[in-house]
Amino acid sequence: MSKTHEVGRADSWEGVVTAMSRGMLDGSNMYHFAEIRLDGGETVKIRIDRRLWKSIAVGDRIVKRPGADPAKE
């Protein structure tokens, strides 16, 4: 089961990128998403910034620490 999750500043997780997508949801701004399989087995779809989206690929490991943005490990 996949669900969209807005990453909070206090959240902390680690996982592997399983899919990437982007789209113009509001018709004028490009949004970038990554589907992440968390270490616990749950799959979430998160919105990420363009710089991170361009630097990752399916199979890469992503880490989110409290107070920081998601980053490639």
Side-chain angles (χ1 to χ4, degrees), residues 7 11-17 36 38-39 46 48 52 56 60-66 68-73:
V7 177
D11 286 352
S12 176
W13 48 261
E14 297 183 29
V16 176
V17 177
I36 311 292
L38 302 177
D39 289 344
I46 61 164
I48 58 176
L52 178 59
I56 62 174
D60 286 347
R61 187 160 187 78
I62 302 292
V63 176
K64 166 68 175 83
R65 302 281 182 229
D69 292 328
K72 183 177 176 180
E73 187 172 72

Side-chain angles (χ1 to χ4, degrees), residues 3 6 19-20 23 31 40 58 60 62-64:
K3 65 179 182 177
E6 186 169 332
M20 296 170 54
Y31 294 95
V58 172
D60 286 347
I62 302 292
V63 176
K64 166 68 175 83

